[in-house]
Amino acid sequence: MKKKKLVGVFMSLMITAGLMVGCNGGTQNAGTNSSDNNGGGGDTIKIGANLELSGGVASYGQSIAEGLELAIEEINKEGINGKKIELVKVDNKSDAAEATSGAIKLISQDKVVAIIGAATSTNTLAQVQVAQDNKIPLITPTGTNPTVTNKDGKVNDFVFRTCFIDPFQGTVAAKFAIDDLKVKNAAILIDSSSDYSKGLASSFKKAFEENGGKIVAEEAYVAKDTDFRATLTRIKSANPEFLFLPGYYEEVGLIVKQARELGIKVPIMGGDGWDSPTLVEIAGPEALNNTFITNHYSSGDPDPKIQDFVKAFKAKYNKSPDAFNALGYDTAYFLADAIKRAGDANPVKIKEALAQTKDLSLVSGTLTLDENHDPIKSAAILEYKNGEQQFKTKVNP
Amino acid sequence: MELIQQLVNGISLGSIYALIALGYTMVYGIVRLINFAHGDVFMVGAFVGFYAITGLHLGFFPALLLAMVVCALLGVFIERIAYKPLRNATRIAVLITAIGVSLLIEYGMIYARGAQPVAYPGTILPDKKIELFGVTISSQSILILCTSIVLMILLQLIVHKTKIGKAMRAVSYDAEAARLMGINVDNTISATFAIGSALAGAAGVIFGIYYIKIEPLMGIIPGLKAFVAAVLGGIGIIPGAMVGGLVLGVIESLVSGLGYSLWRDGVAFIVLILILIFRPSGLFGKNVKEKV
């Protein structure tokens, strides 16, 4: 009998644990359902945020949420057309399927007038169909893949973004490598499971070759890998002068560390996917010397608008804002500006106002949307020095 | 030169697979159970090491020891609670329980500390690069390799020179006969779980130092690979697990080194399939006829 009892205890423990895990995701957005059914009615305007608050790229989602909250706090001091903004957050756990169901929940249960998110292109793409079908504007702060707003030459008319697109980052990186670093040949190492990584790599390759450079090695890995030494040894034997590494910080951190260990001393460059404090923890400050990233903005930029934002952010969170904080912040203003011009919180009117945005002054540059809903704005190049990002130069389109 | 560098890469990777594979193989050898929770014990070991280093400010060896002790206790705990009551149940029931325990540990860990990865402090072991004939070897990987080898030798000594080792071999040969000879079978099984789990814990700390990034689901893939390594060498045979781990690590490195990095995991499992077709009992296994 004793044996049976033990099994029973164990089973009930497992069931309880399962329930607790299941509840965890739900508790974060409990209590945000207010009494009015229509997000546009009453005294508040409901906006959804579908972000990576946990999982592999949690640091992106959390940074965006911080930026959003700061901006909404500021906007609510005056209100938009006499109304206040209410933010409803859902956690998509850095997973595309969760992102889709999060968007459905925000639209059908919370009745939001617009959705902000997700941080990555893949998780944003997972929401595009839902947003299009329900005619709810969807704005990604940092999804840089071109297909997010434009599918097979057709614009997704309800989908927008606050950041520049992948080809631009790849092109800027190629120009910087040739003009400033004076390199003639380069190796590329991509994450073959990421649209983002592939997008950056193809535009880098095109721009690099057009400007007289030569690609000596092209290798790939898959997200979640931990050992890159074999691939890096192969790259080393091709003797590149420059390594282009468009990926996300978890793998990039390991790759940079292992590359330096194997004696690959050349400059390494990537995109905004590197931008996370975790990168410095994983790679170590020393290995990160002589690496560069293209980014949306730099807190070291002397522009007064940027410095005001940095000050406000430091006052609230007691740390220096990164690009995800800045883009989260800008996305809230981008949307607020459109709601103000639309005159009323109707999703279709908001969409029209968003599409007409022109010369809107934001922290990450002056934003004008082109016909593909992609912003035209400047990019910053940052260099890592002893684990700190330093502003190197600004590149205009 | 590139080939030698790839061999060095492969052996470092393989020695971690080998340490995990040892636990699989020991447990299988004694109770004929694939302990799927083994990869998660490895993960717990990595986290114990991490908290010992960052929280208690221990050095590498004390942290390694602490992780081994905690994992040994965890292994015994799992065995007593989950597997012992099922000793006379069908094999499939135990197997499913093992998968359940694995999920429980993984998601229990996520519940306890969240899913975000953390980074091992890089300063815990001196990291010097040693250049030999154009091959770069980091001092860390040498220390890690030595630690793995010492642990494997220690294991061989325990299994072949001590009383408990003799009991383990006896139980693995024939549990009923061993019981009749006055061997406490339950304690012997617990000891096997303790030793296997301690090795997984050590592998966890070594993995953390070598690959820096640890997270609650980190045990799944190394666990599967180690299982492949154990089968490759002949499951239930201790030297087989060591060789299997090293062979698998070297194969993976060579495949990536030839420029087929995306095929690496595929090749590992193709090797498993080929072994199962041509040598079902593994490289070191003997063909045992089914007793009727």
Side-chain angles (χ1 to χ4, degrees):
Chain A
M1 284 322 283
K2 201 179 154 212
K3 278 183 185 170
K4 265 194 181 156
K5 213 171 170 185
L6 264 179
V7 174
V9 169
F10 179 65
M11 293 302 267
S12 54
L13 260 177
M14 269 181 68
I15 292 166
T16 325
L19 279 176
M20 287 194 286
V21 170
C23 290
N24 199 19
T27 46
Q28 269 157 350
N29 44 48
T32 43
N33 291 336
S34 67
S35 52
D36 61 324
N37 286 325
N38 185 344
D43 294 334
T44 57
I45 301 168
K46 270 194 182 179
I47 294 175
N50 186 341
L51 294 170
E52 290 82 346
L53 299 176
S54 67
V57 289
S59 121
Y60 300 160
Q62 279 163 0
S63 292
I64 291 171
E66 284 169 356
L68 276 176
E69 277 160 6
L70 174 65
I72 287 172
E73 208 170 86
E74 289 175 10
I75 294 166
N76 279 346
K77 276 183 197 150
E78 291 175 24
I80 303 175
N81 307 334
K83 289 179 183 175
K84 291 209 184 323
I85 294 180
E86 184 190 334
L87 188 69
V88 186
K89 285 193 284 182
V90 295
D91 177 11
N92 63 36
K93 305 186 175 103
S94 309
D95 180 87
E98 293 274 354
T100 310
S101 52
I104 294 171
K105 179 198 167 284
L106 284 171
I107 294 170
S108 57
Q109 284 184 22
D110 299 312
K111 315 271 183 207
V112 298
V113 296
I115 298 176
I116 292 172
T120 64
S121 299
T122 313
N123 294 341
T124 309
L125 281 167
Q127 303 173 59
V128 165
Q129 198 58 46
V130 180
Q132 288 287 102
D133 291 349
N134 291 288
K135 300 200 186 312
I136 296 287
L138 171 71
I139 312 175
T140 170
T142 51
T144 47
N145 191 292
T147 57
V148 170
T149 52
N150 193 319
K151 183 87 185 161
D152 304 327
K154 204 176 138 277
V155 178
N156 292 324
D157 52 350
F158 280 89
V159 187
F160 299 87
R161 70 174 108 224
T162 325
C163 53
F164 46 62
I165 54 173
D166 290 346
F168 183 59
Q169 284 197 69
T171 312
V172 167
K175 281 198 176 131
F176 175 75
I178 287 185
D179 296 343
D180 292 49
L181 299 175
K182 315 265 181 232
V183 298
K184 298 215 166 40
N185 66 63
I188 303 178
L189 178 56
I190 62 165
D191 173 355
S192 71
S193 63
S194 148
D195 296 336
Y196 162 81
S197 188
K198 284 190 266 189
L200 251 77
S202 73
S203 62
F204 173 84
K205 190 177 171 188
K206 191 162 157 261
F208 196 74
E209 284 175 342
E210 273 171 7
N211 286 297
K214 192 166 165 265
I215 304 291
V216 290
E218 271 186 272
E219 296 290 332
Y221 62 91
V222 186
K224 298 278 163 204
D225 278 358
T226 48
D227 193 287
F228 306 93
R229 290 181 173 88
T231 311
L232 287 168
T233 303
R234 190 175 156 83
I235 287 177
K236 191 189 174 193
S237 67
N239 275 324
E241 294 174 73
F242 177 84
L243 174 60
F244 189 57
L245 179 57
Y248 293 121
Y249 59 87
E250 280 195 35
E251 288 83 20
V252 164
L254 292 170
I255 294 172
V256 170
K257 180 173 181 289
Q258 294 175 12
R260 296 299 191 222
E261 263 176 34
L262 290 168
I264 300 179
K265 299 184 182 84
V266 299
I268 304 180
M269 187 162 185
D272 57 330
W274 285 36
D275 191 21
S276 161
T278 315
L279 174 77
V280 184
E281 281 174 36
I282 295 177
E286 201 184 319
L288 275 174
N289 284 337
N290 202 17
T291 62
F292 304 88
I293 60 170
T294 50
N295 211 341
H296 305 272
Y297 118 113
S298 158
S299 60
D301 192 325
D303 189 319
K305 186 165 177 74
I306 294 180
Q307 289 312 316
D308 284 349
F309 161 67
V310 172
K311 226 165 99 190
F313 191 90
K314 272 187 178 155
K316 186 168 161 73
Y317 296 106
N318 206 16
K319 63 177 181 182
S320 190
D322 62 17
F324 287 88
N325 294 134
L327 284 168
Y329 181 87
D330 280 355
T331 306
Y333 273 102
F334 178 30
L335 180 59
D337 170 70
I339 297 176
K340 204 180 276 172
R341 281 187 289 115
D344 137 38
N346 173 303
V348 178
K349 282 189 190 162
I350 294 174
K351 168 215 130 189
E352 247 123 62
L354 278 170
Q356 287 156 7
T357 304
K358 198 162 182 288
D359 295 329
L360 176 65
S361 170
L362 294 172
V363 169
S364 60
T366 306
L367 185 145
T368 300
L369 281 197
D370 70 5
E371 69 281 1
N372 289 328
H373 293 186
D374 295 329
I376 304 167
K377 58 186 207 180
S378 54
I381 290 181
L382 313 178
E383 181 176 6
Y384 278 95
K385 276 195 179 140
N386 298 320
E388 298 285 330
Q389 287 182 352
Q390 291 190 353
F391 179 65
K392 181 104 181 160
T393 170
K394 209 167 186 168
V395 182
N396 286 309
Chain B
M1 281 315 102
E2 200 194 326
L3 183 72
I4 301 172
Q5 180 79 60
Q6 296 293 16
L7 285 177
V8 171
N9 296 338
I11 290 170
S12 310
L13 179 64
S15 62
I16 293 177
Y17 288 157
L19 274 181
I20 312 175
L22 284 170
Y24 269 113
T25 232
M26 286 173 65
V27 167
Y28 184 86
I30 203 155
V31 280
R32 301 278 177 268
L33 160 71
I34 308 291
N35 181 12
F36 277 110
H38 196 66
D40 303 300
V41 173
F42 158 76
M43 176 271 289
V44 171
F47 274 98
V48 171
F50 174 76
Y51 290 119
I53 290 167
T54 55
L56 304 176
H57 302 290
L58 296 180
F60 171 66
F61 288 106
L64 187 76
L65 213 62
L66 183 69
M68 289 174 75
V69 170
V70 172
C71 286
L73 292 176
L74 179 68
V76 174
F77 183 71
I78 293 171
E79 196 271 330
R80 283 279 148 109
I81 295 227
Y83 304 143
K84 198 180 159 208
L86 299 173
R87 189 108 341 126
N88 297 317
T90 53
R91 233 194 270 171
I92 196 81
V94 191
L95 204 64
I96 291 169
T97 310
I99 294 171
V101 172
S102 161
L103 291 172
L104 176 70
I105 299 177
E106 281 162 18
Y107 289 93
M109 198 63 165
I110 290 182
Y111 180 71
R113 63 164 294 285
Q116 73 285 3
V118 286
Y120 255 66
T123 48
I124 192 73
L125 280 183
D127 192 9
K128 290 231 167 57
K129 286 167 205 76
I130 300 161
E131 298 255 354
L132 270 181
F133 317 111
V135 177
T136 319
I137 306 169
S138 82
S139 57
Q140 277 191 357
S141 52
I142 293 178
L143 192 64
I144 284 163
L145 192 62
C146 292
T147 313
S148 317
I149 292 171
V150 167
L151 286 172
M152 289 179 204
I153 293 172
L154 210 64
L155 178 69
Q156 282 292 9
L157 289 179
I158 290 175
V159 171
H160 289 285
K161 302 282 178 205
T162 63
K163 208 170 166 191
I164 189 77
K166 209 173 208 175
M168 280 159 63
R169 280 180 289 144
V171 172
S172 120
Y173 196 76
D174 189 334
E176 276 312 304
R179 198 192 303 275
L180 292 173
M181 296 299 130
I183 293 171
N184 188 334
V185 173
D186 282 338
N187 281 354
T188 310
I189 292 175
S190 290
T192 311
F193 269 89
I195 296 171
S197 301
L199 290 175
V205 179
I206 289 173
F207 183 93
I209 301 261
Y210 198 50
Y211 292 114
I212 306 294
K213 187 190 76 173
I214 58 168
E215 44 130 1
L217 300 181
M218 65 183 266
I220 300 176
I221 292 295
L224 272 180
K225 295 275 181 66
F227 174 59
V228 173
V231 173
L232 186 68
I235 194 149
I237 302 154
I238 289 172
M242 294 182 202
V243 173
L246 291 174
V247 167
L248 192 68
V250 170
I251 290 177
E252 286 195 358
S253 283
L254 291 182
V255 169
S256 301
L258 289 172
Y260 302 101
S261 51
L262 297 177
W263 284 87
R264 193 190 58 197
D265 291 359
V267 170
F269 289 102
I270 288 171
V271 168
L272 174 68
I273 293 170
L274 291 179
I275 289 282
L276 288 176
I277 292 173
F278 295 108
R279 279 196 70 94
S281 48
L283 291 177
F284 285 61
K286 293 185 203 80
N287 266 327
V288 185
K289 290 212 177 77
E290 197 77 10
K291 276 178 258 176
V292 187

